[in-house]
Amino acid sequence: MADTEETFGLQNTPGDSNTKEVQNESKEDIQKGTLSKSPSPQTPYIQQGMEGIKVYLHEGELWTKFDEVGTEMIITKAGRRMFPSYKVKVTGLNPKTKYILLMDVVPADDHRYKFADNKWSVTGKAEPAMPGRLYVHADSPATGAHWMRQLVSFQKLKLTNNHLDPFGHIILNSMHKYQPRIHIVKADENNGFGSKNTAFCTHVFPETAFIAVTSYQNHKITQLKIENNPFAKGFRGSEDLELHRMSRMQSKDYPVIPRSTVRQRAGSTPSPFSGEGQCLATPTGLGSPYSPENGVTGSPLELLSQPGPYPLPHERGQDYHCTKRKVSEEGHTGDHPYRKSYIESSPSEGDPYYRPSGYSQPLGLGGGGAPYRTESAQRQACMYAGIAPGAAELAAGLEELGCSTWAGVSPYGSCPVTGVPPPDRMPYQHFSAHFATGPLVTRLSGVTGHAPQQLGDAHSHAHALYQSSVTSHQPLGRQCSPNAGIQVPAGGLQGNEYLYQHGASRTLSPHPYHTVHSVSIVPDWSGGS
DNA sequence: TCTCCCACCTC
DNA sequence: AGAGGTGGGAG
């Protein structure tokens, strides 16, 4: 039901550009008073060096348009990219320090949705979350100067509904709502993942929340995708064209309804996400509903872990309906502004579309979901292929935690991981966890697993519409897991989380920092295919 | 609901 | 020129 709306909505005014960040600071910092702000319940540790980091969502305006209608992302067995693409501008990093940037997508709530009567509504409880996978940006690790130099794009990230996906794509359940999150992990040699001091922060842009679907439900969304995604250009056009096309395709007879027709109609769907037009959404919603801002920790890992329980109760509402509708079609669609949006990368600077992240929150976890680990566990695959060093570590850490992480490169990419190759041949390298032990992992893990926290509260903190919430974590705060000393939340990590590095061109050699040990992870190949 | 294939398009 | 990203329709 409704909850969503709030959840996703943005609350504050757009104007805020500030990011609210809640970061965890290290205790020290805290004590020092470094962090003043952190409102969030979470642990307030801010890590040094992480406090000034701000993340701005690229093309936030376009995201908001989708959000107002109720963003839907197609998930396929082979993996489908998100659109709008997730791109951010990052500021406040130490130019010389190395960081790993990664994303994960956590359940926004624990509901299953259905689209009927032109609107989304809750239809039941969510399926157990799959193991959360992390998508490590291919450039990781890289210096702050590198990341700040231009937009950081996660456009190659793919979403799949194949729970046995061997490619390292992010696994989601259809008709469930999710919240993407970005995590920045300090990875310099002096502060590797393994180290206790690993610092990281998480940023959540509520307007990027979406419902995963195997086919679009709301025509308004279809229309927005067609109008803004360059790859869907073939579906644009005047009706003439459409008719044309259709006639060809369909051959015969059917008059076929022009897509445009459809589009037009779409008008009324409400969006679950934001309520109405603007977004009301509370901050809370932001991220994941689950997220905990509160107390839990949020660690990157947590983030990673995603699946988790969903905490936020109130936020989620049950049904959404949206009221606002106007938005759509006409407004935007046709001609609207956003079309340009897809333009893409631009220099970071003046992009009007950026929004600072605002929320602060820990990642909490959203993912936590603990429960679900099983499956994953079974299939753990770990392929850390060319991961960046840092990533590897993360992965390792996760493993220790019990999760498998994937650092693999993307399928298509260079990474061997790709196919379904037998494990044996896998190209990837395994890393041992040990370094993982490090704090990051820990934290991450913590996050991961556990329970939901909620962001809800967050709203209090959160504010600005567009800001992402940020959380910083500190290593020490909690580290410890069962295994390595990292602590795992109750839920623990999920069984597996995969860290996935996108592939990049970069190669990844085993990282410099540590040696990798092999991990015994079982590949996912199993099902995947 | 989901999967597969298609025509069309970007890169 | 080829690889790969789109949504639609059929099944």
Side-chain angles (χ1 to χ4, degrees):
Chain A
M1 324 199 168
D3 54 348
T4 39
E5 301 184 347
E6 306 173 2
T7 311
F8 297 92
L10 309 174
Q11 249 178 356
N12 296 283
T13 18
D16 301 356
S17 358
N18 296 330
T19 319
K20 178 184 223 145
E21 312 173 350
V22 175
Q23 305 178 342
N24 294 337
E25 313 167 3
S26 56
K27 297 176 183 180
E28 299 176 354
D29 295 345
I30 297 173
Q31 295 177 349
K32 292 179 181 181
T34 312
L35 263 190
S36 31
K37 336 180 142 201
S38 43
S40 64
Q42 260 193 356
T43 329
Y45 303 104
I46 294 180
Q47 302 225 346
Q48 294 184 343
M50 305 300 283
E51 57 279 344
I53 298 173
K54 290 187 179 178
V55 178
Y56 299 83
L57 179 65
H58 179 64
E59 295 187 332
E61 184 176 305
L62 178 61
W63 276 103
T64 297
K65 287 181 179 179
F66 276 85
D67 188 48
E68 291 174 348
V69 176
T71 309
E72 295 175 30
M73 294 291 177
I74 294 282
I75 53 175
T76 66
K77 186 176 182 180
R80 198 81 155 188
R81 290 183 176 185
M82 292 197 292
F83 187 86
S85 298
Y86 197 100
K87 297 178 184 177
V88 298
K89 176 183 177 178
V90 182
T91 64
L93 299 174
N94 180 318
K96 297 181 179 178
T97 297
K98 287 185 177 180
Y99 300 87
I100 290 173
L101 267 65
L102 47 89
M103 273 186 69
D104 68 357
V105 179
V106 299
D109 57 42
D110 59 354
H111 296 136
R112 181 188 180 83
Y113 294 85
K114 67 177 178 183
F115 188 78
D117 298 327
N118 212 30
K119 70 179 199 215
W120 286 99
S121 58
V122 172
T123 176
K125 187 173 176 93
E127 305 252 330
M130 291 303 297
R133 285 183 172 178
L134 299 177
Y135 178 88
V136 179
H137 191 283
D139 291 352
S140 301
T143 61
H146 174 84
W147 296 119
M148 296 188 288
R149 188 174 180 176
Q150 57 189 12
L151 281 176
V152 177
S153 175
F154 286 91
Q155 85 183 138
K156 290 184 178 177
L157 177 157
K158 288 187 175 181
L159 307 177
T160 182
N161 58 344
N162 180 7
H163 290 200
L164 299 177
D165 173 75
F167 306 110
H169 296 151
I170 289 179
I171 302 169
L172 304 178
N173 287 314
S174 184
M175 309 307 273
H176 286 60
K177 187 183 297 181
Y178 295 94
Q179 175 64 61
R181 302 186 297 187
I182 181 171
H183 309 285
I184 298 175
V185 181
K186 191 187 278 186
D188 58 321
E189 306 178 17
N190 297 322
N191 189 7
F193 281 131
S195 87
K196 296 179 179 182
N197 299 317
T198 305
F200 65 92
C201 58
T202 299
H203 297 256
V204 176
F205 293 94
E207 65 267 44
T208 59
F210 62 85
I211 288 180
V213 298
T214 54
S215 62
Y216 292 123
Q217 306 296 302
N218 186 339
H219 291 137
K220 291 170 123 184
I221 289 296
T222 305
Q223 192 172 343
L224 283 171
K225 298 262 186 176
I226 290 171
E227 297 299 327
N228 295 281
N229 189 332
F231 291 105
K233 191 173 182 180
F235 296 94
R236 297 181 194 168
S238 55
E239 300 176 0
D240 310 352
L241 294 178
E242 294 180 354
L243 290 177
H244 237 319
R245 195 184 292 148
M246 305 218 69
S247 52
R248 291 184 190 169
M249 296 179 72
Q250 306 204 352
S251 63
K252 323 199 162 182
D253 328 307
Y254 313 25
V256 175
I257 305 169
R259 306 179 184 143
S260 48
T261 308
V262 175
R263 300 173 188 171
Q264 299 179 352
R265 290 209 166 281
S268 45
T269 321
S271 78
F273 307 87
S274 27
E276 314 242 353
Q278 294 234 11
C279 340
L280 329 175
T282 39
T284 325
L286 78 59
S288 35
Y290 306 144
S291 334
E293 274 195 14
N294 315 312
V296 182
T297 6
S299 29
L301 292 185
E302 295 179 355
L303 305 177
L304 304 180
S305 28
Q306 353 191 255
Y310 323 4
L312 306 179
H314 58 302
E315 300 178 357
R316 4 164 144 213
Q318 314 214 1
D319 345 322
Y320 320 77
H321 13 32
C322 339
T323 338
K324 83 176 329 73
R325 42 188 4 303
K326 66 186 261 109
V327 172
S328 30
E329 301 225 343
E330 307 185 344
H332 321 7
T333 334
D335 357 348
H336 257 307
Y338 20 115
R339 7 160 153 169
K340 32 171 129 195
S341 34
Y342 51 91
I343 308 173
E344 235 156 55
S345 39
S346 37
S348 6
E349 313 159 5
D351 187 339
Y353 301 108
Y354 292 107
R355 309 178 168 205
S357 60
Y359 288 27
S360 33
Q361 122 159 75
L363 329 162
L365 355 168
Y372 318 111
R373 35 170 88 280
T374 336
E375 208 174 324
S376 347
Q378 300 177 349
R379 33 181 162 144
Q380 345 177 336
C382 298
M383 330 170 168
Y384 304 115
I387 299 180
E393 295 179 352
L394 275 180
L398 293 177
E399 289 181 0
E400 287 187 351
L401 296 180
C403 331
S404 49
T405 318
W406 244 31
V409 179
S410 74
Y412 305 110
S414 36
C415 199
V417 171
T418 346
V420 184
D424 325 324
R425 41 180 321 230
M426 301 189 97
Y428 12 101
Q429 317 168 355
H430 298 291
F431 299 79
S432 65
H434 53 299
F435 5 100
T437 326
L440 256 186
V441 174
T442 311
R443 326 164 148 206
L444 295 179
S445 47
V447 175
T448 336
H450 53 32
Q453 308 192 345
Q454 38 209 33
L455 299 182
D457 307 349
H459 14 3
S460 354
H461 314 317
H463 316 342
L465 288 185
Y466 303 135
Q467 300 189 334
S468 60
S469 51
V470 179
T471 313
S472 306
H473 304 300
Q474 182 173 17
L476 299 182
R478 18 200 47 270
Q479 57 179 18
C480 5
S481 68
N483 305 333
I486 296 177
Q487 87 179 85
V488 177
L493 302 182
Q494 298 230 355
N496 13 307
E497 304 173 352
Y498 302 84
L499 213 181
Y500 173 174
Q501 175 160 10
H502 207 295
S505 31
R506 334 161 125 302
T507 44
L508 325 155
S509 35
H511 35 57
Y513 311 151
H514 311 48
T515 318
V516 175
H517 294 316
S518 58
V519 177
S520 49
I521 299 176
V522 178
D524 259 353
W525 315 115
S526 41
S529 80

